[in-house]
Structures are given as structure tokens and as C-alpha cells.
Amino acid sequence: MADRVSASIVIGGSLSATAYTELVALIGNEGLSTEWDGEAFEPHHRTVGEPLSLYAHEVAWGHFGGLESWCAQNQVPFARWSGGYAGQWGPERIVHQGDGTLTSYAVTEDDTVVIAREALEKLGSFDAILAHFAVADFAVPPLVVDGDVPEAGASTNSIPHAEGPTHVE
């Protein structure tokens, strides 16, 4: 039986409509919603021009294996938080900036980045420590899907273009 904890993920980047359909299927497989204890995610739950924030309780091992792998393989940026499981692992934040690299950061149950003394000594300078925190606090770009239409009354310039990795087909 799997150890289960609460977890959340924020996804961004630029996707084709086909890639978004794949993403939606993976989100459905994970049982995610746009709020804690909310209804299952549906494609129309996404807010145009914003990163996609998703939540779930009782997540096996605290990660979304298939979803995170797909994002990494397709260079789709994300940040995932998961709570700790007593005696097994502590809370963590995984950051993927769209470059294929997943970086783990120790955090509190409230998703505040923390750093151990050993890591402080290894980083060596205050500037390096600040850089560590800056990377851990990666701002996931908006999730932009081909064909996005601005909400009624918004200008056509209101849909931001995701920065970072190339468009996913």
C-alpha cells in the first residue's frame, strides 16, 4: 500500500491544442482539481492567461508520476509541492523550469523553502544562498494554449505569451 499525502502542482508554458488534450487526460488520471476537495478537473476550468494550479489529497508517494514525467519530457514548466509523511520523507517542492531538470527543495508543510546547515555551508556565500531561494521560488509562467480567446471585454493583447521553453506540439 502506498503512503499518501496532500500535493499540489502549478503548470505553465505554451502548448498546442493537441498537447493540452494530452495534459488534460493526465490530469484526469491523477484525480486533480482546481481547489482542495474540489470537483474533478475539466478543460474549461483553466483560467486563460494564468498558470494552471491543481490540488489533491491522498496522493500516492506525494507526486504525480505520469503528469510530471510528461511535463519534463515536453519541457513544460511546473512546480509541485507535497506534504511530508512521518518517518518516510519531509515536505518538498520540485521545480522544473522546462529544461528537463527536476530540482528538489526542502520546504515546510506551508510550502516555505527551508535550508539545512549543511547546504548553507556548501553554498558558501550569502549571494549563493539568495540565489538558491530565488530558483526555488520559480514563478511558473501562464499556461498558454493555441487558440486561447481572451475573456469578454479583454483586449487581444491580454493573453501573455509564456516565456521559457519552446511551444509544445
Side-chain angles (χ1 to χ4, degrees), residues 78-95:
F78 72 86
R80 188 247 308 147
W81 167 85
S82 63
Y85 192 86
Q88 298 298 315
W89 70 83
E92 74 173 342
R93 179 184 306 164
I94 298 294
V95 172

Side-chain angles (χ1 to χ4, degrees), residues 14-25 43 46 70 144-148 167-169:
S14 180
L15 303 176
S16 69
T18 301
Y20 182 63
T21 300
E22 291 176 24
L23 179 65
V24 168
R46 181 176 71 91
W70 184 89
V144 179
V145 178
D146 282 353
D148 276 349
H167 180 75
V168 178
E169 290 297 325

